[in-house]
Amino acid sequence: MDKDLLQDITIYHKEDNKYVRYPEVASVRNTSIRNRNNTGTNDTDTVLIRIFDTKGYNDTWKCQKGDTIVLMDVSDETIDAPLTELRNKYGKEYVCQVNSIDIFDFSDENIIELNHIKIGAK
C-alpha cells in the first residue's frame, strides 16, 4: 500500500469496564456501502477503513463491532461514552462507530501485501 494513502487513526476498544486506545495506520475512504448482517437487517456504512497490520489484530491491537474510531491520532484516555464524547470534541465527520469487520488474511506469501482487516463504520 502506498504510504501516501495511509493515515493515523485511533481505535477505542472496550475491554472489561474501560476503553483501551489503539493507535493504528489505515487507509480511510468515505463511502456508502450497504451491509446485510446475520440477523437479516441492513445497515449502511459511511466509512471504509482498511488496516494492513493483520498479524497484530487481536494481539497488539483490537477492534470489534460497536467500537469507536477517530480518523486521526488522538491521545484521549479513559472515556465513559466514547462515541458521544469524541464526536463533541473532534466532530462527527472524524468519529465513527464500527458496524462490521472482515479479515482478509491470505495464506500465500506471494500476495501478502493484500492482507488487511476491512472495517465498515458509520
Side-chain angles (χ1 to χ4, degrees):
M1 174 55 92
D2 186 351
K3 297 214 185 289
D4 291 335
L5 300 176
L6 301 176
Q7 72 182 62
D8 293 327
I9 65 168
T10 306
I11 301 167
Y12 285 89
H13 173 72
K14 189 168 188 173
E15 293 183 17
D16 299 322
N17 292 330
K18 63 180 182 172
Y19 285 89
V20 178
R21 184 177 62 84
Y22 293 107
E24 274 298 320
V25 175
S27 165
V28 177
R29 188 173 65 176
N30 291 330
T31 186
S32 181
I33 298 174
R34 194 148 179 90
N35 285 327
R36 182 174 181 90
N37 65 23
N38 293 339
T39 63
T41 59
N42 290 315
D43 207 353
T44 302
D45 293 333
T46 56
V47 180
L48 174 62
I49 301 167
R50 287 191 175 102
I51 301 176
F52 296 92
D53 178 17
T54 57
K55 297 212 182 296
Y57 182 61
N58 284 330
D59 185 28
T60 60
W61 66 278
K62 296 179 181 178
C63 185
Q64 66 186 20
K65 185 175 179 174
D67 285 350
T68 301
I69 297 179
V70 181
L71 303 178
M72 62 181 85
D73 185 20
V74 298
S75 59
D76 301 77
E77 289 298 332
T78 306
I79 297 174
D80 294 322
L83 186 64
T84 303
E85 292 177 31
L86 293 169
R87 278 185 175 170
N88 287 341
K89 185 171 183 178
Y90 298 106
K92 187 176 180 180
E93 64 274 14
Y94 294 105
V95 181
C96 53
Q97 186 173 40
V98 176
N99 277 338
S100 63
I101 299 177
D102 292 308
I103 302 168
F104 296 92
D105 196 354
F106 307 103
S107 299
D108 186 342
E109 290 296 320
N110 294 323
I111 57 171
I112 197 166
E113 66 274 359
L114 298 178
N115 292 347
H116 67 281
I117 309 294
K118 182 176 91 172
I119 299 172
K122 65 177 180 174

